[in-house]
Amino acid sequence: MMGKDRAKPIRELDLERYRALYGLTAVVLSNFAIVAVAIAGVWRLGGDKSVIIGVLTAAFTAVSTMTTAYLGIKAVSNTAQAMAQGDPRRTQTPPETTTPPTETPTPTPPSPRTPDNPHP
């Protein structure tokens, strides 16, 4: 009766799906938190337009940086995993067909000039 008490091992594909789901959830929740703080900051500042522009610019920068970092890390992770597994979906360039190098004759050195032969 040990089988019911033991946890089922997680397959690699399921693990990658969980990582992607939780990573995306963390990014979305962080972006919502940044937007909520920006809205609260704008609301509390009243009508000072220069400060509002600064708060909104900082919020936009934070959201775009967070999202871009997640997508960049995910893309690199997927590429590295595909390379490590030798993913057949990746396009591979066919090996180049080259002809064996031919023996090139070594050039003969010019003959030395002698008074009898001024131009060789």
Side-chain angles (χ1 to χ4, degrees):
M1 298 268 190
M2 247 171 42
K4 291 185 178 183
D5 295 339
R6 297 180 110 184
K8 195 165 89 172
I10 298 176
R11 295 182 316 182
E12 186 68 30
L13 182 60
D14 291 337
L15 181 63
E16 190 60 35
R17 285 183 183 159
Y18 290 138
R19 285 180 185 163
L21 177 65
Y22 290 129
L24 183 60
T25 303
V27 169
V28 169
L29 290 177
S30 298
N31 287 346
F32 279 139
I34 292 168
V35 169
V37 169
I39 289 172
V42 167
W43 177 67
R44 299 279 293 179
L45 291 173
D48 190 6
K49 291 184 181 181
S50 63
V51 176
I52 291 173
I53 290 172
V55 168
L56 293 179
T57 302
F60 178 76
T61 302
V63 167
S64 63
T65 301
M66 177 84 66
T67 305
T68 303
Y70 171 73
L71 294 176
I73 291 169
K74 187 67 181 149
V76 169
S77 173
N78 290 346
T79 302
Q81 187 176 17
M83 289 177 68
Q85 293 176 351
D87 193 355
R89 292 178 293 176
R90 289 187 29 179
T91 57
Q92 296 178 355
T93 57
E96 292 183 16
T97 55
T98 58
T99 58
T102 58
E103 183 84 20
T104 56
T106 56
T108 57
S111 59
R113 293 187 182 171
T114 58
D116 298 336
N117 187 8
H119 298 287

